[in-house]
Amino acid sequence: MALFKVWFSSLIATMYIFWVSTFSCLDLPLFLSGCLDMVAVEGQFTFTAERPQLNCAVFFIGEPSDIISIEYNSVNIDCRGGDFIKVFDGWVMKGEKFPSTQDHPLPLYERYSDYCETGVTRPIVRSSQNVAMLFFRLHQSGSSFTVTFRKLINPFPCNVVSQTPEGSFTMIIPQQHRNCSFSIIYPVEIQIGELSLGQHNDLKRSILGCAGSGDFVELLGGNGMDTSKMFPMADLCYSFNGPAQMKVGCDNTVVRMVSSGKFVNRVSFQYRLLGHQELQQMKGNSVEDVCLRA
């Protein structure tokens, strides 16, 4: 199993344990358990350093239709001494970012919010998608901070990390020139039930490849988070009613839609986790070899 997958699986386990042990939302004080946490429940969270904590992070995740709100409630750190708290609009894993710079509406430098620079004037930070990340570095024991994590409704979700290896989703881009990615950090089978690309319906172009088309959907596979570094498994640039399915034996599977902004584009799909026997049967084929070399 790839190191990326082992690392992410440990975070998922932490999130699951935290979720089943915490029923309350915003009424009870909660505590971050360590230097690396994943949080999926709303609440007010406090971290207090028992010793210097120099490279720490908290991963926040909501449902696909959520965006993340993080509010600073109290902060006791030494900014001049090198401490910091930063919120990132997305996730960073092993140096790779989700959403990628190609898919996020903001330039990279605007996706970071530094408390030491803007915390007083900007006490609430909101993400563009259902994931956000908080980095912090504290040099002294006793340094602490408290933040409130809330989930807000996003009427047109774009760029999503799935919390589970099984589910379904419909992605809609309403006449906007943007790219949207749905990331499933598991090897899965994708079944597309419907693809509608507005007035665009070029079956010949899809057979020859979708390069040059302003509206299309592609399936990507890889062992990291950055979609620009993943391998294209299939692309579709014509409308149809499915099903069309494909198994991707990679640590990360992505359904990515590129939209020119001329049409209302829509794709509906289901996904399920591949079993051990299915993965073994895929060993040696081109898709699995690509993922193993990534």
Side-chain angles (χ1 to χ4, degrees):
M1 184 181 292
L3 291 176
F4 170 83
K5 192 170 183 180
V6 173
W7 181 82
F8 184 78
S9 296
S10 66
L11 277 180
I12 288 292
T14 300
M15 179 180 72
Y16 177 76
I17 293 170
F18 191 88
W19 184 86
V20 299
S21 64
T22 310
F23 293 163
S24 62
C25 296
L26 300 174
D27 296 331
L28 295 178
L30 307 171
F31 298 92
L32 297 173
S33 60
C35 188
L36 186 65
D37 262 304
M38 180 178 282
V39 177
V41 292
E42 293 179 304
Q44 188 177 82
F45 297 87
T46 295
F47 180 86
T48 301
E50 297 180 355
R51 59 184 181 278
Q53 301 284 4
L54 302 183
N55 293 287
C56 300
V58 183
F59 294 80
F60 295 96
I61 186 169
E63 296 300 321
S65 59
D66 293 334
I67 60 173
I68 305 302
S69 170
I70 299 173
E71 179 180 3
Y72 296 112
N73 301 117
S74 64
V75 178
N76 176 28
I77 66 173
D78 183 6
C79 292
R80 293 184 177 181
D83 292 356
F84 66 74
I85 303 174
K86 298 180 181 181
V87 174
F88 180 70
D89 188 359
W91 275 3
V92 181
M93 291 184 175
K94 302 296 184 182
E96 296 193 5
K97 299 173 180 64
F98 181 90
S100 71
T101 55
Q102 295 179 350
D103 292 350
H104 200 280
L106 297 176
L108 184 59
Y109 71 91
E110 289 188 18
R111 295 169 65 182
Y112 287 94
S113 175
D114 190 334
Y115 173 83
C116 290
E117 295 179 358
T118 61
V120 176
T121 58
R122 190 186 177 193
I124 299 177
V125 182
R126 292 180 179 176
S127 71
S128 303
Q129 62 288 309
N130 77 321
V131 292
M133 191 172 178
L134 187 148
F135 299 93
F136 61 96
R137 174 174 296 174
L138 308 177
H139 290 86
Q140 300 295 327
S141 61
S143 298
S144 65
F145 62 87
T146 299
V147 296
T148 296
F149 162 46
R150 292 184 176 89
K151 304 174 188 178
L152 308 175
I153 296 299
N154 183 2
F156 291 104
C158 178
N159 298 317
V160 173
V161 176
S162 176
Q163 294 189 39
T164 64
E166 298 183 354
S168 61
F169 189 72
T170 296
M171 183 185 296
I172 302 173
I173 303 181
Q175 289 185 294
Q176 294 177 342
H177 180 45
R178 66 188 308 188
N179 307 327
C180 296
S181 295
F182 189 96
S183 175
I184 311 158
I185 310 182
Y186 302 90
V188 297
E189 179 185 70
I190 296 286
Q191 184 177 94
I192 296 178
E194 176 191 5
L195 174 59
S196 174
L197 295 174
Q199 301 175 29
H200 196 76
N201 191 9
D202 193 344
L203 178 59
K204 180 179 179 181
R205 181 186 293 249
S206 184
I207 294 173
L208 299 175
C210 291
S213 174
D215 301 87
F216 62 93
V217 166
E218 58 182 351
L219 299 184
L220 305 173
N223 294 332
M225 288 295 293
D226 190 333
T227 54
S228 67
K229 299 179 181 179
M230 297 176 71
F231 297 95
M233 304 296 182
D235 55 6
L236 300 165
C237 46
Y238 66 97
S239 300
F240 68 90
N241 288 314
Q245 60 191 42
M246 184 175 189
K247 295 179 180 179
V248 182
C250 300
D251 288 349
N252 190 16
T253 306
V254 169
V255 179
R256 182 172 183 262
M257 177 179 282
V258 175
S259 177
S260 67
K262 298 178 181 178
F263 314 111
V264 177
N265 294 328
R266 171 190 178 105
V267 61
S268 297
F269 56 92
Q270 298 178 342
Y271 53 99
R272 67 168 184 86
L273 182 67
L274 292 178
H276 177 73
Q277 186 173 355
E278 290 177 293
L279 289 172
Q280 290 301 312
Q281 291 173 351
M282 294 175 67
K283 294 289 185 181
N285 71 22
S286 59
V287 171
E288 184 70 12
D289 286 347
V290 164
C291 293
L292 291 175
R293 289 197 301 267

